[in-house]
Amino acid sequence: MFNRLKYLLIGSLRKQLIVGMTLSIVSVMALFVWNMTSQQQTTEMENNSQQVSALAESVAISSSVWVASRDYSGLQEIVEGISHYPNLRYIIVLSLKGQVLAHNDPSKIGLYLTDLPQQQKLVLHTTINLIEVIRPVTLAGKQIGWVRVGIDRSHFKNELAQIRQQGLVFTLIGIVFSILIAILTGRYLTRRLSAIQQVADGVNAGNSAARVVLTGDDEAARLARQFNNMLDSLAEREEQLRTFYEFDIVGLTITSPDKGWLKINQCLCDMLEYSEQELRRMTWAELTHPDDLAADVEQFNKMLAHEISGYNLEKRFISKSGKVIPTLLVVRCVRNDSGDVEYVTAMVQDISERKQAEKAIETLAYFDPLTQLPNRRLLMDRLQSAFLSSARNHLYGAVLFIDMDKFKTLNDTLGHNYGDLMLIQVAQRILTCVREADTVARLGGDEFLVLLEDIDASAQTASQKAALIAEKIRAALTDPYQLKDAEYMSSPSIGISLYCGNDESADELLKHADMAMYQVKESGRNAVRFFDPSMQLAVESLAALESDLRQAVINQQMHLYYQIQVDSKHRPIGAEALVRWIHPTRGTVSPAQFIPIAEQSAVIINIGDWVLETACRQLAAWSINDFAQHLTLAVNVSAHQFSQPDFVTKVDVLLRTYAIDASRLKLELTESVVLVDVTDVINKMYALKALRIRLSMDDFGTGYSSLSYLKQLPLDQLKIDQSFIRNMTTDPNDAVMVQTIIDLAKNFRLNVIAEGVETEEQLNLLLHQGCLTYQGYLFGRPLPIEQFEVLLQQSRCSYS
């Protein structure tokens, strides 16, 4: 009976409130009827206000975490759990801007309320029918939203009328029971609500393990259980988040919109070799590889500009020790209510092992594992690119097919380990003989292939250069091989095939080079052969010519011819010494044929030294001859000869040996000599001037030397190239060029001489332009010394 009565009177929070307040009012009305009615109304208002305030405070505390995390489903669960509160008209959770985040009427979620307080404080509104509390939602001292709770008071008016009618009857009884029940009810309600409040305060202070302990099945107990469930869910999510950030397989970080680090897990700290405190003082842009920064910043700015919500990117970080770390970056952003990026989350995965695996796969696919040279697959790709480049630039290229002679014998006698060592050395030697842009590949076994790209526009020149490179490789591969404790001798057979454009396939080109290589094998090995028979003949002829040329000076096959130089009155003033090669079987070999060959080898130095000594000897002979002792003798000096460290010393020795007047010796240098090493050339030229030797710039106007160099050179003369003289009477451009050179010489206080003068028209035009010295067929061809001296006698008679 007692339990039933207890349930009827205080079985729920609503009954506790109604019964307690009604009895209290009845007791007061017994003494002060109408006066106590007003007091009871006031008391009821205060109690309702306290309860509504406590409810609003509880909701504000319990919802603060959900508002901060934007978890609207969690907020709605809290509101729906409280929506059965007695006389609750509405309970609303709002953002700072007034947007409804949660409502006991779900249809109103998302609407905006504009009648919110202007200041961060609790506001209480009271009307006849309603008690309303507006309370701020705060987290960590910062307001993040509002809670608005309204309690319906309309039922109180009816109760007040009834109390007035029955007040006098129950005055005495009401006094006793109202005091007793009010005390019991107030104590019971305060104790249960206080338990919830204490736990909420503890959680807010950081005690996440605190929970409400209330027994029973009333609203307070149910609210406590729901509050505990909410705390358990929040703790579980926090634990998940903590565990996720402690995950040591990938780096995790939260960064600011200005690229600063906000939170970094230990895995990322270990990866970058910085502590979390050090990283917080830096930005991720400072640790990004310079070559990858632009792409990352571009995507990041797109995300800030609302163009994308996130991005994935491969980029490289630079660790504290300078190590380059390839990573896979997964970036996402979290935006605030206005849509701006509030913070950025990123997952950073170290993909160094994957990159190494990819590189290893590429190496296996495209490179020979023994020699690390490109294999056939990569070679074919490069051949296709070479064909396109050749077609675009109209330049010849070549492939050299190399096979080591008797390699099988090495494998059979010493074993394959020794064979592998030799192949590695072969690869290294070939690489030292070619340009960096050329490709050296191993096709398999002892077969190698060299791809020479963009050699020359002339097929003949390209074949000559390819032959020289092949010969260089052949010579390098014939040197002894030191294989562990054994020395082994071998030689290569090399086949060459030229290509131009993409007229033939790569397979055809390789087949031709292979055929040429087997021709070498059949003819005795250790040689170079072209696939094209005509080119092979030309190369053999070139090789024979070079061999004969090396013996030409020794066998006294070289001769000096002299071409007269005259002034404007046709008086001889000097001559140019021109070398001629008279071979016993070949006859007279053109300088245009043997000079380029000599310049590609050291033979040009021997020839140049012989010419210079012969010219000095001739000057000594002229010095005792009345008709020739005034003549100047010009000698051409090649770039190779002039670049020799002892060149000036050699000239000085010759001057002393033949006791000649150094001012009668004129050295003609081409512009290519100057371009080799300007500082060295200038020093040598001043050293020669100190010996009183004259210096002339030969073929002026055909090279690329700068006028700034010209003014530094101690020259005596400029020699106008015959290519300008040849057409100057018919081509205005050549005439202007000749005039420019003459004016330039005058401005630099230099003499000027024109070579290749063959007609009276050319002579007259040169004279008109101010050129007063000449050389050419109009005055005499290059002649042996005997015929030249006869020409001098005739010239002397004609002007004397």
Side-chain angles (χ1 to χ4, degrees):
M1 184 66 181
F2 176 78
N3 291 334
R4 183 175 178 81
L5 180 61
K6 180 180 178 182
Y7 177 77
L8 291 174
L9 293 177
I10 58 173
S12 67
L13 189 61
R14 180 181 180 185
K15 291 178 180 181
Q16 293 172 15
L17 180 63
I18 294 175
V19 173
M21 292 301 101
T22 301
L23 291 176
S24 297
I25 293 173
V26 169
S27 298
V28 174
M29 286 181 62
L31 299 174
F32 306 105
V33 187
W34 298 109
N35 184 43
M36 287 304 297
T37 301
S38 300
Q39 292 182 5
Q40 182 63 30
Q41 183 176 359
T42 302
T43 301
E44 183 272 350
M45 181 69 70
E46 291 176 353
N47 280 283
N48 275 276
S49 299
Q50 291 176 1
Q51 294 174 13
V52 172
S53 298
L55 180 61
E57 183 176 5
S58 176
V59 173
I61 293 173
S62 63
S63 64
S64 61
V65 176
W66 305 102
V67 171
S69 63
R70 300 292 190 273
D71 192 336
Y72 302 139
S73 61
L75 288 175
Q76 190 61 27
E77 289 178 6
I78 294 175
V79 170
E80 290 177 356
I82 303 175
S83 62
H84 300 295
Y85 192 91
N87 299 318
L88 182 68
R89 180 178 293 182
Y90 56 80
I91 177 169
I92 313 171
V93 181
L94 305 102
S95 68
L96 283 175
K97 294 187 177 181
Q99 183 183 15
V100 177
L101 305 179
H103 199 293
N104 56 328
D105 183 358
S107 64
K108 296 183 180 180
I109 294 176
L111 301 179
Y112 282 83
L113 301 182
T114 59
D115 56 341
L116 294 175
Q118 298 299 318
Q119 299 181 354
Q120 179 182 346
K121 65 180 182 178
L122 185 144
V123 178
L124 177 66
H125 294 296
T126 305
T127 64
I128 296 177
N129 297 319
L130 180 68
I131 298 177
E132 181 186 69
V133 172
I134 304 176
R135 189 188 188 285
V137 178
T138 62
L139 183 64
K142 179 181 178 182
Q143 183 179 357
I144 60 175
W146 298 95
V147 170
R148 193 164 185 167
V149 181
I151 301 296
D152 193 350
R153 294 186 65 232
S154 59
H155 67 285
F156 179 69
K157 293 189 296 180
N158 299 329
E159 294 174 355
L160 189 60
Q162 184 178 1
I163 292 172
R164 287 173 178 171
Q165 294 175 1
Q166 299 177 0
L168 293 176
V169 178
F170 297 101
T171 299
L172 295 176
I173 300 174
I175 292 173
V176 177
F177 280 98
S178 64
I179 294 174
L180 180 60
I181 295 174
I183 292 173
L184 294 174
T185 303
R187 181 179 178 183
Y188 187 79
L189 291 177
T190 303
R191 177 173 55 82
R192 296 172 73 79
L193 293 177
S194 177
I196 299 175
Q197 181 64 49
Q198 289 175 359
V199 171
D201 291 340
V203 172
N204 191 40
N207 183 13
S208 59
R211 296 293 184 271
V212 181
V213 180
L214 286 181
T215 60
D217 196 36
D218 59 7
E219 287 86 346
R222 291 196 297 270
L223 178 62
R225 287 192 291 272
Q226 292 174 354
F227 185 62
N228 287 341
N229 291 337
M230 180 188 69
L231 292 178
D232 291 341
S233 177
L234 179 61
E236 182 180 357
R237 295 194 180 190
E238 288 181 347
E239 178 64 19
Q240 291 174 348
L241 184 61
R242 184 187 64 79
T243 304
F244 183 62
Y245 265 88
E246 291 178 354
F247 202 44
D248 62 353
I249 296 180
V250 295
L252 299 168
T253 180
I254 297 177
T255 66
S256 64
D258 58 357
K259 306 180 182 66
W261 305 91
L262 300 179
K263 185 174 179 62
I264 313 99
N265 74 342
Q266 189 59 42
C267 179
L268 185 56
C269 291
D270 295 341
M271 186 189 307
L272 299 178
E273 301 174 352
Y274 288 95
S275 66
E276 185 171 356
Q277 291 72 24
E278 289 176 317
L279 288 174
R280 288 179 183 273
R281 295 192 293 268
M282 308 171 73
T283 66
W284 55 257
E286 296 178 58
L287 301 180
T288 300
H289 193 284
D291 294 342
D292 299 340
L293 182 59
D296 196 359
V297 171
E298 179 184 3
Q299 295 297 316
F300 191 81
N301 290 338
K302 286 184 177 180
M303 186 173 65
L304 296 182
H306 298 261
E307 296 181 21
I308 56 176
S309 60
Y311 59 93
N312 299 352
L313 183 73
E314 285 192 10
K315 63 177 280 187
R316 290 167 291 177
F317 280 108
I318 301 178
S319 70
K320 189 175 184 178
S321 63
K323 178 183 177 183
V324 177
I325 308 168
T327 64
L328 174 62
L329 201 64
V330 179
V331 181
R332 298 294 183 268
C333 67
V334 176
R335 302 185 185 275
N336 56 26
D337 294 338
S338 61
D340 296 330
V341 174
E342 189 168 330
Y343 58 87
V344 177
T345 63
M347 182 188 75
V348 184
Q349 181 181 2
D350 187 344
I351 57 173
S352 299
E353 293 184 0
R354 193 190 83 187
K355 288 295 184 181
Q356 291 173 358
E358 290 176 353
K359 185 176 181 180
I361 292 172
E362 181 182 2
T363 300
L364 291 174
Y366 293 103
F367 291 88
D368 172 52
L370 177 64
T371 62
Q372 302 304 312
L373 294 177
N375 59 16
R376 178 182 289 270
R377 178 183 296 178
L378 182 55
L379 172 66
M380 299 305 285
D381 288 343
R382 293 189 179 178
L383 268 175
Q384 297 302 324
S385 300
F387 289 162
L388 295 176
S389 175
S390 175
R392 181 172 58 253
N393 300 323
H394 304 290
L395 296 174
Y396 280 87
V399 292
L400 280 58
F401 201 113
I402 304 171
D403 185 272
M404 299 305 297
D405 298 331
K406 299 182 180 179
F407 179 73
K408 185 177 183 299
T409 304
L410 172 63
N411 282 336
D412 293 342
T413 55
L414 297 179
H416 289 275
N417 290 338
Y418 284 82
D420 289 345
L421 290 176
M422 177 181 163
L423 292 175
I424 293 173
Q425 293 186 33
V426 168
Q428 294 170 348
R429 294 185 187 185
I430 297 175
L431 287 172
T432 62
C433 298
V434 299
R435 302 169 299 180
E436 187 175 351
D438 298 328
T439 298
V440 180
R442 183 187 177 208
L443 301 182
D446 61 339
E447 294 181 342
F448 295 84
L449 191 134
V450 178
L451 171 61
L452 306 176
E453 298 187 47
D454 299 343
I455 301 176
D456 199 272
S458 166
Q460 181 176 358
T461 304
S463 64
Q464 293 175 1
K465 292 182 177 180
L468 290 174
I469 295 173
E471 180 58 30
K472 184 178 180 181
I473 294 173
R474 188 201 63 77
L477 297 184
T478 55
D479 289 340
Y481 294 87
Q482 189 63 43
L483 308 177
K484 295 183 181 179
D485 55 348
E487 185 176 88
Y488 187 77
M489 299 295 297
S490 184
S491 62
S493 295
I494 304 176
I496 306 176
S497 181
L498 292 182
Y499 69 87
C500 186
N502 49 9
D503 294 336
E504 58 182 341
S505 67
D507 290 335
E508 286 292 321
L509 183 65
L510 296 183
K511 183 175 69 174
H512 292 165
D514 189 32
M515 291 172 61
M517 182 272 295
Y518 274 106
Q519 290 179 3
V520 176
K521 293 281 189 183
E522 294 172 358
S523 60
R525 301 185 177 90
N526 192 19
V528 176
R529 185 178 295 275
F530 277 86
F531 169 73
D532 188 342
S534 61
M535 285 190 177
Q536 179 64 31
L537 181 62
V539 170
E540 291 176 353
S541 175
L542 180 66
L545 186 65
E546 182 180 354
S547 178
D548 290 347
L549 184 60
R550 293 181 183 277
Q551 303 299 319
V553 175
I554 299 174
N555 296 334
Q556 298 182 356
Q557 297 172 3
M558 291 297 177
H559 303 270
L560 275 190
Y561 279 43
Y562 301 83
Q563 187 172 26
I564 194 168
Q565 296 176 342
V566 301
D567 60 13
S568 58
K569 295 183 180 180
H570 297 197
R571 293 176 299 190
I573 58 173
E576 179 180 4
L578 301 170
V579 65
R580 294 293 184 265
W581 180 17
I582 303 177
H583 191 272
T585 58
R586 298 177 186 271
T588 301
V589 182
S590 169
Q593 187 177 2
F594 72 83
I595 291 296
I597 298 175
E599 288 181 341
Q600 293 178 6
S601 62
V603 179
I604 191 67
I605 298 175
N606 297 333
I607 295 176
D609 289 345
W610 176 84
V611 170
L612 189 58
E613 181 175 3
T614 304
C616 290
R617 187 186 304 113
Q618 188 59 54
L619 281 174
W622 283 347
S623 64
I624 59 176
N625 192 322
D626 292 339
F627 68 86
Q629 62 183 358
H630 68 287
L631 296 179
T632 298
L633 185 55
V635 177
N636 290 286
V637 179
S638 70
H640 291 285
Q641 184 181 10
F642 195 83
S643 64
Q644 295 302 303
D646 60 345
F647 176 74
V648 176
T649 302
K650 286 182 178 180
V651 174
D652 187 27
V653 170
L654 290 174
L655 294 177
R656 296 176 185 274
T657 300
Y658 292 100
I660 60 175
D661 182 359
S663 64
R664 297 301 176 190
L665 178 62
K666 179 167 61 178
L667 301 183
E668 293 191 353
L669 310 176
T670 61
E671 294 182 49
S672 61
V673 174
V674 179
L675 293 176
V676 173
D677 186 342
V678 176
T679 302
D680 180 65
V681 168
I682 292 175
N683 291 336
K684 287 181 178 178
M685 291 178 71
Y686 274 105
L688 293 170
K689 290 294 293 183
L691 299 176
R692 297 177 55 246
I693 291 176
R694 298 185 184 184
L695 300 175
S696 175
M697 180 67 75
D698 193 15
D699 300 335
F700 187 77
T702 60
Y704 302 95
S705 61
S706 169
L707 293 181
S708 62
Y709 292 157
L710 183 61
K711 70 179 183 180
Q712 300 178 53
L713 303 179
L715 294 170
D716 298 286
Q717 185 184 73
L718 296 182
K719 193 170 191 179
I720 306 174
D721 187 67
Q722 59 181 341
S723 62
F724 300 121
I725 303 299
R726 184 180 302 115
N727 299 319
M728 66 178 296
T729 58
T730 57
D731 189 340
N733 292 328
D734 284 344
V736 170
M737 180 63 74
V738 171
Q739 183 67 68
T740 301
I741 295 174
I742 294 171
D743 293 340
L744 184 65
K746 290 180 179 178
N747 291 333
F748 279 96
R749 296 181 176 85
L750 301 176
N751 295 325
V752 62
I753 184 172
E755 69 172 341
V757 180
E758 298 179 357
T759 66
E760 290 291 343
E761 287 182 305
Q762 295 170 348
L763 177 63
N764 293 334
L765 184 54
L766 285 168
L767 183 62
H768 175 73
Q769 290 181 338
C771 179
L772 304 178
T773 52
Y774 323 98
Q775 174 183 339
Y777 285 1
L778 181 62
F779 311 102
R781 294 176 176 272
L783 300 171
I785 185 61
E786 298 81 6
Q787 298 179 28
F788 178 74
E789 290 182 345
V790 172
L791 177 63
L792 284 179
Q793 292 284 7
Q794 294 174 351
S795 299
R796 181 181 182 187
C797 295
S798 64
Y799 67 75
S800 61

